[in-house]
Amino acid sequence: MRQTRLGLSENARKASISILQTTLSDALSLRLAVKQAHWTVRGPHFQQLHELFDSFVAPLDAEIDEVAERIATLGGTPDGRVEAVAQAAGLARYPFEAITGTDHLTALAERFAGLGNTARDGINAADNAGDADTADLLTATSRFLDQSLWILEAHLDGK
């Protein structure tokens, strides 16, 4: 961890970097899952779902950048390499056999919910470590994830 003039203790920075790296790995995994759904969805609602899934990508990219840049701001080095993400991601492996809209909606809803829960856990942990800015960043991330989950679940209508 590099030195910085931030007014946070080294312990707070280490804790926040760890929290953020977990979030980064899961967010990158989720982004790839969204693209997998976008590329492979089939069925009567193809066009709508194809466009819906793609609409999540740019906001996810923005969240990923915020998380990675916060790691760097704290003196850490964000690790977004595919090998690191594959090893560290806590989200379930995306089902390769998912084809129908319902398959993809369900798989994505589970992953958006999972990352939302990770972000909420991180909010509390960062706050407890004394890093209100990281807690704030993760609060915004969780709001985006929760809203995305709501949209996915609306398509599932209780399924």
Side-chain angles (χ1 to χ4, degrees), residues 140-155:
T141 298
S142 73
R143 276 195 303 268
F144 159 70
L145 295 165
D146 289 351
Q147 183 177 34
S148 300
L149 176 60
W150 167 65
I151 291 167
L152 291 165
E153 288 180 336
H155 284 277

Side-chain angles (χ1 to χ4, degrees), residues 19-81:
I19 294 160
L20 290 164
Q21 185 59 52
T22 298
T23 304
L24 179 63
S25 294
D26 283 353
L28 287 164
S29 177
L30 177 59
R31 187 204 188 277
L32 291 172
V34 169
K35 288 306 289 188
Q36 182 71 20
H38 169 78
W39 296 325
T40 61
V41 68
R42 300 285 181 267
H45 303 289
F46 164 80
Q47 187 66 34
Q48 177 191 12
L49 293 176
H50 182 75
E51 292 174 9
L52 172 67
F53 298 152
D54 214 30
S55 75
F56 292 127
V57 174
L60 266 171
D61 283 345
E63 296 297 332
I64 289 165
D65 274 353
E66 289 286 331
V67 169
E69 290 171 2
R70 182 67 183 163
I71 293 170
T73 298
L74 293 168
T77 302
D79 196 347
R81 297 170 301 150

